[in-house]
Amino acid sequence: MDSPRQSKKVHPNREPKRNHNQPGIAPQKDAYAKLLSQHSSSKFSLYLEQYAKDMSFQRDGPGPSTLFKAHSDKLNIPQRKRDQVPNDFSDSSDFSPSSMKLKGEDSSLSLYMEKLNTRGTQQDCERKQGVCDKQRRGQRRDTATSQDGDIESGEELSSLKPNNPKKHQKPQKKSKDSKEADSFVGRPQSPKNASESGHEQEKMTKSKKKNLPKHPEDENSREGTVSSGADTQMSRPKSPHGKDKRLQQPRGANSPADRNKNKGGRGSKKQVFESYMTLEEVSHGLKRGELIQGQLRINPKKYHEAFIPSPDDTRDIFLDGIVARNRALNGDVVVVQILPQDQWKVVKSDTDCEGSSESENQRENAAQTAQKKTAHTPRPDVIVEDQCSDQDELIRRVQSTTLTETGVPLEDPSTPRSNGEILQKTAKVVYIVEKKHSRAVTGFLKFLPDKPFAMFSPVDHRVPRINVLLADCPEDFTSRPGDYTNTLFICRITNWAADSNFAEGQLHKTLGQAGEIEPETEGILIEYDVDFSEFSDEVLDCLPKNLPWTIPPEEMSKRRDLRRECIFTIDPATARDLDDALSCKLLPDGNFELGVHIADVSFFVGEDNALDAVASQRATSVYMVQKVIPMLPRLLCEELCSLNPLTDRLTFSVIWKITPEGKILSEWFGRTVIRSCVKLSYDHAQSMIEAPEKMFSAEELPPVDPEHPIDEIHQAVLNLHSIAKNLRAQRFSGGALRLDQLKLSFTLDRETMMPQGCYIYQYRDSNKLVEEFMLLANIATAHHIYGKFPELALLRCHPPPKTKMVDELQELCDQLGINIDLSSAGALHKSLNTTLGDDEYTTARKEVLTHMCSRPMQMALYFCSGVRKDKQLFKHYALNVPLYTHFTSPIRRYADIIVHRLLAASLKCGPSLGLSTQEVQKQASHCNDKKTVSKRVQELSSELFFGVFVKDCGPLDSEAMVMGVLDQSFDVLVLRYGVQKRIYCKSIVGLDSFHHRKVGKKSELTLVWTAEDLEKPPVEQVISVFTLVEVQLKADGAPMKYSAVLKRPEENE
């Protein structure tokens, strides 16, 4: 492994740097001489020679090469202005095999080699753009979507990630993400033809100058229309860590110097994307099993990679490049067609097949970032080195791909090869079933002289560049474009033609300056399609008019009156939507009458009115650091439905007769009226739990109903705590699992709402008390509504983790010497709480292991019981229960409102549910989508505020524990703040060299620090999982971003 100080040296296996005007002869010969030396097959040699001849014929043939025909009239930019255009069009060079069906006359390997030369051209041009351009566009916000779950029940297994480990990277142009990291082997030729072909290539390039596009983006865009299966397979072989490993492509003939002479003419439009299948074709294909439907996930850091789940729940299906996605965006429900087996992807392990393991997919970007920090002139040989630690592996895979095309039988993809490699299915999109992506995106506007449109650069790399008509831009944009370089806009895609890599759109809104909390927050909300508009008059007309509202006498007569009971709420101190309350009364026989009382939102939200429509569409409240976007109007959320103290409120109650040990003797459901006697915070309840003998004074608590002495409330809290502990012990001994992850909270300035401080949220006994009874109520309600409505019940399942990923994790833990049992939820929970030692860092080790265990976990999902015939699919893995639902938070979750309606109908105290099985399922799916979005928005809000906090209060020092090790970087959990960051070896100041070693699944880095005293030897530091290090968090130049800097080991002592 090369050290940072060696980073400028030319790797012995790569060609030396040449003058731009030199033809690319030597690298082609060297690379392919090496390739041929690796394989003795005469067929293979003949195969390559034949391609060389084919290419020679193509070059000498009449007319311009199809490769260089212009595909779009939209971006016909004069050469003199080209360097002003940001060269980071998303995915413009990463294309899938899908379009090859249109190009039967072009040989796949020859086209692949055509692509190499133009790719080198574009990269050289891109490298000339300065850092200022990137700074003007601002840092691209990571929009990676974490795996979902639900914290109520331990479902939320990996979603609470306050910071993605890779957030500290400097702004990077899209083109560098997708192109500069993509280094390819040279044109396939036999050694004797290499030199000749190189000269022919230069000649051909010169002869075609008049037909070349006027800027490099168009060049690469067209390449997508002629890429092939061989192209895809050879261009993206994966290393054990999932990074691309490619050799440097030849430069020279297509250097920027040559291209600056080009004069441009407009080429004919060329089809970039395949036409979609008809609905009839799709229906037949799905029925016959020839097509597959699924939700598209695009990797936010390697955005040429996308995935859909496999129907057999094995490895995800891979979609390679923008053409394979066929204009579908992240989250869209698509139909795909599996490509031929010789175009499938070779991966090292099952974790490389998963689109969610983004933490391992970004080394290319990081390597470029580190290089930009240390070198004034980009060095492609160094950048390539960051991805190609094993060139022979790439060459072997190129051979493998080529040989499959020459008739060697393919392997069974389900069986790992002898070296542990696996074939992963690849596919292309043939139809978009549902455009779930909002088609709105945050970004920056770029002025293009002499053009009738501006170029919109999305912050999210997964969205294409967008052409926006100047008429749609601010009035003074054309005269003063510099005023808008740091202005955030929202743009909506209105069209994306099949013959263009670039979408068309309209500016939706000017947000404000990048780096300020409110514009950034609004951008997040719009981009994720969160409706934060004011409720319409039509919706507000559905609310009670006579205020202050009182319960009608006729309604009171239909309900059980619990207003004299000792009932209270326990919530966060700042909560205003109080939708659950508790009661616990000692009975003469020594048992307890224990009640969970939930706001009766369904009384106020009737079916099929405007209020119901907007609530069903929003589906959930969205909680951000500084605000809440409510699902319902505030009159309901904070007043009429909220179980505020000393106020009569309508509720739905579950009341049990229960023993002190937690055994349920009887159960009652019904509509009730309560009057909460006090609003306790978690801190109040915790104080009562920790001081069972203390007599609390009125000054220590919020206002209390005089009918209920403080001591009565205190005793009820203690009884609830005692029963909750027993219920919890029973749950975990019965096989339940809870994976807690650190959650960052903030203290805000009351006036400015800026972060004044932050802390890791403490999950204490008072939280556990409330959680236990909410779980009990949800489980009880699930059984009740499923018993009454087996075809209509809205339930919540949690599928088991992905088996293959669990197996890999088990192997890693075994090698790390961690005695962990992943055979079941209960076994895992027990392992996590017994095998990590007993010292001050036990908690930290548990956090790291919890993060590792969360990766194989799947999302919990709402579903309608009538659409699943196998009851095994109803189960909730983390809770280890057969049936579960959400009943306890109807103010903030629409799923709970449906459950309330089902419950009321089952008890004959409400109308029948006016929905069919399919309609309930459709709403369940929508709730799933909105819950995922809500969670991601919450994470982005937290990241935003922590970035501001680091900038205002940093640098911040903390201990950190290593969570994962790659070959040139490692991830750490920053213990003081609970954030996860990635540290890149090449960016560590004071490091002399570093060496990577991997045995089985266990990865280890040895860092060699330059001695501060030249007379002393260098200091070695070994980095592996659970290693404790010291880091410093520092603000980056980009708004809201920060980096983790590793301290010298001497400072640890």
Side-chain angles (χ1 to χ4, degrees):
M1 182 61 61
D2 293 356
S3 73
R5 295 189 173 188
Q6 298 167 329
S7 62
K8 293 190 179 181
K9 294 181 181 178
V10 178
H11 193 287
N13 290 338
R14 292 174 179 78
E15 71 272 20
K17 187 170 181 177
R18 301 178 305 280
N19 182 283
H20 281 315
N21 293 320
Q22 263 187 282
I25 304 168
Q28 293 178 346
K29 183 174 180 180
D30 292 347
Y32 276 87
K34 181 167 184 178
L35 188 154
L36 287 171
S37 71
Q38 297 289 318
H39 201 284
S40 58
S41 167
S42 59
K43 286 184 180 179
F44 185 60
S45 300
L46 291 170
Y47 186 65
L48 292 178
E49 289 177 10
Q50 183 59 44
Y51 272 123
K53 291 176 184 175
D54 291 347
M55 286 166 55
S56 178
F57 173 77
Q58 281 184 0
R59 290 195 190 110
D60 295 337
S65 163
T66 56
L67 180 70
F68 293 98
K69 287 183 181 176
H71 79 290
S72 172
D73 294 328
K74 292 180 183 173
L75 293 176
N76 193 20
I77 298 168
Q79 178 63 37
R80 59 189 166 81
K81 300 293 185 182
R82 186 199 313 134
D83 287 344
Q84 300 176 25
V85 183
N87 296 321
D88 55 0
F89 297 102
S90 176
D91 289 304
S92 59
S93 70
D94 291 297
F95 297 99
S96 91
S98 58
S99 56
M100 295 319 88
K101 314 266 184 208
L102 307 175
K103 288 290 180 185
E105 71 275 14
D106 294 325
S107 66
S108 59
L109 201 53
S110 63
L111 293 172
Y112 167 64
M113 288 306 135
E114 290 276 9
K115 186 172 179 179
L116 295 187
N117 287 319
T118 52
R119 187 181 290 261
T121 306
Q122 178 163 350
Q123 289 183 356
D124 284 350
C125 179
E126 287 163 359
R127 293 189 186 106
K128 289 199 165 189
Q129 294 211 61
V131 176
C132 59
D133 214 13
K134 290 174 281 182
Q135 288 174 342
R136 282 201 304 273
R137 284 197 303 278
Q139 172 70 14
R140 298 182 179 276
R141 178 164 53 244
D142 182 348
T143 50
T145 303
S146 60
Q147 297 174 19
D148 187 22
D150 192 59
I151 196 68
E152 255 181 29
S153 54
E155 298 166 3
E156 207 162 273
L157 301 171
S158 72
S159 60
L160 297 177
K161 297 177 184 173
N163 235 284
N164 185 292
K166 271 65 83 189
K167 295 279 164 55
H168 69 290
Q169 299 176 28
K170 289 288 175 80
Q172 297 176 32
K173 294 194 283 284
K174 284 188 184 178
S175 56
K176 289 209 173 189
D177 287 345
S178 65
K179 303 179 189 100
E180 191 163 32
D182 292 351
S183 304
F184 293 78
V185 293
R187 189 184 302 278
Q189 299 164 351
S190 64
K192 66 177 182 180
N193 292 338
S195 178
E196 179 185 347
S197 297
H199 288 297
E200 287 175 359
Q201 172 192 334
E202 184 178 24
K203 183 178 176 182
M204 174 198 72
T205 305
K206 289 179 180 177
S207 71
K208 290 182 168 50
K209 282 176 186 173
K210 292 182 181 179
N211 295 310
L212 281 173
K214 291 192 176 181
H215 64 49
E217 291 79 17
D218 284 13
E219 227 173 302
N220 273 27
S221 305
R222 281 187 302 283
E223 288 158 21
T225 66
V226 292
S227 62
S228 69
D231 173 344
T232 304
Q233 187 80 6
M234 286 187 286
S235 65
R236 290 194 177 80
K238 297 292 174 184
S239 76
H241 296 297
K243 69 180 180 180
D244 289 4
K245 293 167 61 174
R246 298 171 188 158
L247 304 184
Q248 184 180 358
Q249 70 278 14
R251 291 172 297 143
N254 288 332
S255 70
D258 286 341
R259 279 184 289 125
N260 285 338
K261 301 171 189 173
N262 295 344
K263 296 296 179 190
R266 299 179 91 165
S268 60
K269 288 251 184 177
K270 191 166 298 270
Q271 191 87 354
V272 177
F273 302 101
E274 287 190 13
S275 299
Y276 295 127
M277 288 185 176
T278 65
L279 182 58
E280 185 179 11
E281 289 171 328
V282 168
S283 299
H284 288 316
L286 289 171
K287 287 176 185 175
R288 291 193 296 263
E290 296 167 357
L291 303 176
I292 296 170
Q293 181 172 317
Q295 189 163 22
L296 187 71
R297 299 192 325 275
I298 304 175
N299 189 330
K301 293 299 182 180
K302 290 179 71 175
Y303 42 87
H304 58 265
E305 294 187 348
F307 305 85
I308 68 161
S310 175
D312 57 6
D313 201 30
T314 54
R315 300 177 191 97
D316 287 341
I317 296 166
F318 180 60
L319 288 87
D320 192 0
I322 190 173
V323 170
R325 298 205 293 268
N326 203 355
R327 294 163 284 168
L329 297 183
N330 190 59
D332 287 354
V333 177
V334 297
V335 174
V336 301
Q337 184 177 54
I338 301 296
L339 296 174
Q341 191 168 330
D342 61 355
Q343 296 177 24
W344 292 0
K345 175 185 168 192
V346 181
V347 292
K348 270 287 187 183
S349 65
D350 283 293
T351 49
D352 292 331
C353 299
E354 305 299 326
S356 59
S357 50
E358 292 156 3
S359 63
E360 298 184 358
N361 288 337
Q362 301 173 44
R363 277 170 299 168
E364 296 87 340
N365 304 349
Q368 294 164 29
T369 305
Q371 183 61 24
K372 280 182 272 185
K373 291 179 182 175
T374 57
H376 296 294
T377 305
R379 289 281 300 276
D381 49 321
V382 177
I383 293 167
V384 170
E385 204 156 81
D386 292 332
Q387 294 97 49
C388 292
S389 56
D390 185 359
Q391 297 182 13
D392 292 339
E393 172 75 358
L394 173 59
I395 291 169
R396 185 199 57 70
R397 289 184 182 179
V398 172
Q399 293 172 333
S400 171
T401 304
T402 310
L403 288 173
T404 59
E405 294 170 352
T406 56
V408 175
L410 286 162
E411 308 161 69
D412 178 0
S414 62
T415 307
R417 304 176 179 192
S418 57
N419 60 359
E421 288 179 342
I422 300 156
L423 278 177
Q424 183 178 18
K425 291 178 181 177
T426 58
K428 63 179 180 180
V429 172
V430 296
Y431 192 78
I432 300 177
V433 178
E434 185 178 358
K435 293 181 178 179
K436 290 203 172 186
H437 189 283
S438 65
R439 265 59 184 174
V441 65
T442 310
F444 298 89
L445 206 54
K446 177 73 175 178
F447 180 63
L448 303 178
D450 306 323
K451 290 293 158 194
F453 53 82
M455 180 60 71
F456 183 83
S457 305
V459 168
D460 185 352
H461 290 220
R462 298 172 292 184
V463 180
R465 283 302 184 92
I466 305 168
N467 295 339
V468 177
L469 290 175
L470 289 176
D472 195 39
C473 297
E475 284 185 16
D476 61 344
F477 176 70
T478 53
S479 59
R480 302 178 59 87
D483 293 355
Y484 294 91
T485 53
N486 199 41
T487 302
L488 271 179
F489 292 91
I490 286 286
C491 183
R492 289 191 183 275
I493 293 175
T494 56
N495 184 45
W496 191 354
D499 59 4
S500 175
N501 278 293
F502 316 117
E504 299 165 21
Q506 292 182 335
L507 289 186
H508 174 71
K509 190 171 187 180
T510 304
L511 296 174
Q513 291 300 296
E516 294 179 3
I517 282 181
E518 283 309 312
E520 295 275 0
T521 296
E522 187 173 346
I524 292 169
L525 292 171
I526 295 174
E527 196 166 323
Y528 281 85
D529 202 20
V530 175
D531 182 359
F532 59 97
S533 62
E534 295 297 323
F535 290 96
S536 68
D537 291 341
E538 185 185 8
V539 169
L540 298 177
D541 284 345
C542 300
L543 303 177
K545 296 291 187 299
N546 299 323
L547 301 176
W549 180 82
T550 56
I551 300 172
E554 63 273 17
E555 186 60 34
M556 193 77 81
S557 64
K558 300 175 186 176
R559 295 172 178 259
R560 183 170 169 177
D561 191 345
L562 302 175
R563 288 176 293 172
R564 304 295 296 271
E565 301 293 331
C566 179
I567 298 173
F568 48 87
T569 60
I570 304 176
D571 287 281
T574 56
R576 290 186 290 183
D577 49 351
L578 315 179
D579 47 14
D580 57 87
L582 295 167
S583 62
C584 188
K585 180 168 68 177
L586 180 64
L587 298 174
D589 60 3
N591 294 315
F592 292 92
E593 183 180 272
L594 193 153
V596 171
H597 314 278
I598 307 300
D600 190 358
V601 178
S602 60
F603 174 84
F604 296 96
V605 183
E607 279 194 84
D608 297 328
N609 61 19
L611 176 59
D612 185 49
V614 75
S616 69
Q617 186 58 37
R618 293 192 178 199
T620 181
S621 295
V622 179
Y623 291 83
M624 308 183 84
V625 171
Q626 81 279 32
K627 66 173 81 174
V628 179
I629 310 300
M631 181 181 77
L632 297 169
R634 295 196 183 277
L635 178 63
L636 292 184
C637 285
E638 298 174 12
E639 295 293 332
L640 305 188
C641 292
S642 185
L643 306 183
N644 299 329
L646 312 180
T647 311
D648 293 354
R649 286 290 177 254
L650 300 178
T651 47
F652 234 129
S653 299
V654 190
I655 299 173
W656 300 277
K657 184 176 180 181
I658 193 168
T659 68
E661 295 75 32
K663 182 181 179 183
I664 295 174
L665 304 175
S666 65
E667 181 177 80
W668 180 87
F669 291 93
R671 281 185 141 149
T672 53
V673 182
I674 69 164
R675 181 183 176 88
S676 171
C677 61
V678 65
K679 176 191 174 183
L680 296 176
S681 69
Y682 283 118
D683 289 335
H684 294 135
Q686 189 66 30
S687 298
M688 292 179 169
I689 290 168
E690 292 174 355
E693 304 300 326
K694 179 179 176 179
M695 296 294 292
F696 284 84
S697 64
E699 290 74 28
E700 295 176 88
L701 297 173
V704 177
D705 190 331
E707 282 197 32
H708 299 284
I710 291 175
D711 188 53
E712 181 185 4
I713 297 167
H714 187 183
Q715 191 57 52
V717 170
L718 292 175
N719 291 337
L720 285 168
H721 172 59
S722 175
I723 296 168
K725 283 200 302 183
N726 289 329
L727 288 171
R728 190 177 181 86
Q730 290 171 29
R731 268 201 314 117
F732 289 121
S733 64
L737 164 69
R738 184 180 178 94
L739 293 181
D740 287 317
Q741 292 190 310
L742 301 179
K743 180 182 179 181
L744 194 61
S745 294
F746 297 87
T747 52
L748 304 179
D749 182 279
R750 286 180 179 271
E751 293 183 2
T752 65
M753 299 304 285
M754 295 292 282
Q756 288 183 319
C758 62
Y759 57 94
I760 292 176
Y761 186 78
Q762 296 298 309
Y763 186 73
R764 299 175 295 176
D765 285 342
S766 55
N767 301 83
K768 295 174 184 177
L769 180 160
V770 174
E771 179 193 40
E772 212 54 52
F773 295 114
M774 298 305 109
L775 289 176
L776 191 64
N778 285 334
I779 293 168
T781 304
H783 282 273
H784 182 88
I785 62 172
Y786 180 66
K788 298 287 186 179
F789 303 109
E791 295 297 310
L792 276 182
L794 193 154
L795 302 176
R796 188 164 176 82
C797 68
H798 185 211
K802 298 183 178 182
T803 307
K804 295 180 186 301
M805 293 181 74
V806 170
D807 292 343
E808 289 208 337
L809 177 60
Q810 183 73 66
E811 185 181 345
L812 173 60
C813 289
D814 291 344
Q815 290 186 338
L816 291 171
I818 302 170
N819 182 23
I820 191 164
D821 184 352
L822 295 162
S823 61
S824 68
L828 175 55
H829 183 86
K830 186 176 179 181
S831 299
L832 284 172
N833 289 280
T834 57
T835 64
L836 294 166
D838 187 17
D839 58 44
E840 59 179 317
Y841 296 111
T842 297
T843 301
R845 281 191 290 271
K846 183 179 177 182
E847 292 297 336
V848 169
L849 191 55
T850 297
H851 173 80
M852 293 162 64
C853 292
S854 69
R855 292 193 61 207
M857 299 298 170
Q858 301 197 66
M859 294 186 298
L861 299 167
Y862 297 112
F863 69 99
C864 179
S865 56
V867 303
R868 297 193 178 190
K869 301 309 175 189
D870 184 357
K871 217 178 163 186
Q872 284 298 309
L873 299 177
F874 291 21
K875 289 184 66 173
H876 196 290
Y877 172 81
L879 290 174
N880 195 32
V881 293
L883 295 174
Y884 188 67
T885 194
H886 275 165
F887 159 74
T888 53
S889 296
I891 291 177
R892 64 183 177 91
R893 290 189 307 229
Y894 188 76
D896 302 52
I897 294 179
I898 293 180
V899 169
H900 278 228
R901 289 171 179 165
L902 286 166
L903 189 57
S906 73
L907 299 170
K908 303 292 191 290
C909 60
S912 297
L913 186 70
L915 296 175
S916 67
T917 296
Q918 291 305 321
E919 287 170 330
V920 173
Q921 178 59 36
K922 184 177 179 181
Q923 185 63 50
S925 297
H926 181 68
C927 289
N928 290 332
D929 294 338
K930 288 298 185 180
K931 185 172 178 61
T932 301
V933 162
S934 170
K935 199 169 302 301
R936 183 59 189 147
V937 167
Q938 186 176 349
E939 290 166 1
L940 289 171
S941 177
S942 181
E943 291 167 13
L944 200 57
F945 273 79
F946 190 64
V948 171
F949 180 72
V950 173
K951 179 184 175 185
D952 292 347
C953 305
L956 309 174
D957 295 330
S958 174
E959 287 184 303
M961 187 168 279
V962 177
M963 307 174 68
V965 180
L966 304 177
D967 61 349
Q968 301 186 47
S969 61
F970 54 97
D971 295 331
V972 296
L973 175 68
V974 183
L975 300 181
R976 186 175 171 191
Y977 301 104
V979 297
Q980 301 163 20
K981 296 297 289 183
R982 175 161 290 184
I983 297 174
Y984 300 91
C985 296
K986 288 198 175 243
S987 64
I988 299 174
V989 177
L991 205 61
D992 185 67
S993 62
F994 59 93
H995 313 285
H996 178 253
R997 176 172 173 268
K998 185 169 185 179
V999 179
K1001 300 293 178 190
K1002 185 179 179 181
S1003 196
E1004 183 178 280
L1005 276 168
T1006 301
L1007 309 182
V1008 182
W1009 293 83
T1010 306
E1012 292 182 317
D1013 185 343
L1014 296 179
E1015 296 179 2
K1016 293 183 179 179
V1019 178
E1020 288 196 356
Q1021 183 179 19
V1022 177
I1023 302 293
S1024 59
V1025 175
F1026 300 127
T1027 297
L1028 203 63
V1029 296
E1030 287 277 350
V1031 299
Q1032 186 174 77
L1033 303 181
K1034 287 184 174 180
D1036 281 348
M1040 310 290 193
K1041 302 300 171 184
Y1042 67 95
S1043 302
V1045 178
L1046 182 67
K1047 290 187 174 184
R1048 292 180 64 91
E1050 292 88 347
E1051 297 176 29
N1052 294 359
E1053 299 171 1

